[in-house]
Amino acid sequence: MRGPRILTFTLGLLIGLGGGLLLAWEVFPPPPGNATPADLAPAYQDLWIVLAAQADLVEGDAAASRRRLEALGLPDLPDRVRALAERGLFENWPLSTVQALARLAQALGARSPALVVILATPVPTRIPPSPTLIPTATPSPTPSPSPSPSPMPSPTPLPTSLPTPTQEATATPPAPNGPTLLESQTRCETSPLLRIYVFDAEGRPRAGVRLWVSGPQGTETLLTGLKPGMEEGYADVQMAPQGTYRLGVERPEPTVAELAARPCVDAAGQAGWTGWEVRVRLP
């Protein structure tokens, strides 16, 4: 007799539970919550800001964009939008999205050197290479003697000697009241890097200086002071092996220095390419 009673009790329990769930979920569901964009997690708030910037790119309605952003209820909204624009610049997001974020940040009152560069760049920072982009000869005075490279067949084998420490960049005559190349030196690296330090007339690092670097892949626009952990006057750009680069400070021309990544062998006997470190003084 106990078995049928237990079975009857179990069936009744399951039927009651199922009926209760049906009433709770279907017949009398709870009213929707009053969630707002301000309740989103930080990552989704960032996505909301990016989508608002992209919508503004299509609509061009500043008032509607401001309403969308203010729905997040962020006390630091201008800095939040500025930080997203700078993040997009470093992570190579589509330029249109980065510029839309920069415009929104500026409209909200944010200011930074990075916003100046983003908003002043009407085309992608990498411009398709041109055969006449880098002249093969510059009307400059004869630079200090440098070691003549030995002929190398193609593909170019790496040399078996260390690069000469006194190797210098090709400096062009400074324009009147223009920037001056103070110092240049090479580093033998697996992945060559052009490191640029800019100082004012008193020798202090200067942030927010716009740099133009022309190379085999085109022209890149840089801004000093944007590298975390580095001094205010610093900027860098990756160099291509065997590539020749021309550096302009605050404008593409005149060129301050011309440099090249050449084969080298470091002190440990590892093959690499010459990266550069240059120091430039502003007038």
Side-chain angles (χ1 to χ4, degrees), residues 237-265:
V237 64
Q238 199 71 44
M239 301 181 73
Q242 297 286 33
T244 300
Y245 292 80
R246 302 178 69 209
L247 170 64
V249 179
E250 295 189 320
R251 59 184 64 87
E253 297 292 343
T255 299
V256 175
E258 184 171 323
L259 319 101
R262 302 300 186 199
C264 64
V265 176

Side-chain angles (χ1 to χ4, degrees), residues 134-147 166-174 179-186 194 214 239 243-249 253-262 274 276-280:
I134 304 174
T136 55
T138 54
S140 60
T142 304
S144 57
S146 58
T166 57
Q167 185 176 356
E168 295 288 339
T170 301
T172 57
T180 305
L181 178 65
L182 293 177
E183 181 185 7
S184 64
Q185 59 183 16
T186 59
L194 172 55
S214 300
M239 301 181 73
T244 300
Y245 292 80
R246 302 178 69 209
L247 170 64
V249 179
E253 297 292 343
T255 299
V256 175
E258 184 171 323
L259 319 101
R262 302 300 186 199
T274 52
W276 286 87
E277 180 177 306
V278 299
R279 299 177 183 273
V280 178

Side-chain angles (χ1 to χ4, degrees), residues 154-278:
S154 180
T156 306
L158 295 174
T160 57
S161 60
L162 295 175
T164 305
T166 57
Q167 185 176 356
E168 295 288 339
T170 301
T172 57
N177 299 321
T180 305
L181 178 65
L182 293 177
E183 181 185 7
S184 64
Q185 59 183 16
T186 59
R187 297 186 182 185
C188 193
E189 304 173 301
T190 304
S191 182
L193 196 66
L194 172 55
R195 301 168 178 83
I196 306 161
Y197 296 83
V198 179
F199 303 90
D200 62 18
E202 286 72 37
R204 296 170 299 202
R206 172 74 69 83
V209 177
R210 196 172 186 184
L211 307 174
W212 301 77
V213 181
S214 300
Q217 284 79 37
T219 299
E220 288 199 48
T221 303
L222 311 175
L223 198 71
T224 60
L226 297 183
K227 284 288 183 177
M230 302 300 294
E231 63 184 52
E232 292 184 349
Y234 176 82
D236 62 41
V237 64
Q238 199 71 44
M239 301 181 73
Q242 297 286 33
T244 300
Y245 292 80
R246 302 178 69 209
L247 170 64
V249 179
E250 295 189 320
R251 59 184 64 87
E253 297 292 343
T255 299
V256 175
E258 184 171 323
L259 319 101
R262 302 300 186 199
C264 64
V265 176
D266 63 17
Q270 298 295 319
W273 303 90
T274 52
W276 286 87
E277 180 177 306
V278 299

Side-chain angles (χ1 to χ4, degrees), residues 57-132:
L57 195 64
V58 175
E59 300 171 354
D61 189 339
S65 299
R66 182 180 289 270
R67 287 195 300 271
R68 292 187 183 106
L69 295 175
E70 290 177 346
L72 293 171
L74 296 173
D76 58 343
L77 180 61
D79 286 336
R80 188 75 167 269
V81 181
R82 173 195 56 76
L84 270 179
E86 294 179 1
R87 174 183 167 189
L89 177 65
F90 284 120
E91 296 182 1
N92 294 319
W93 293 0
L95 181 62
S96 58
T97 299
V98 177
Q99 287 186 328
L101 286 166
R103 279 194 294 270
L104 282 180
Q106 192 175 66
L108 293 169
R111 298 291 184 269
S112 79
L115 295 181
V116 175
V117 169
I118 295 169
L119 296 174
T121 307
V123 295
T125 54
R126 285 195 177 274
I127 303 172
S130 167
T132 60

Side-chain angles (χ1 to χ4, degrees), residues 12-22:
L13 180 63
L14 292 175
I15 291 172
L17 180 61
L21 292 175
L22 177 64

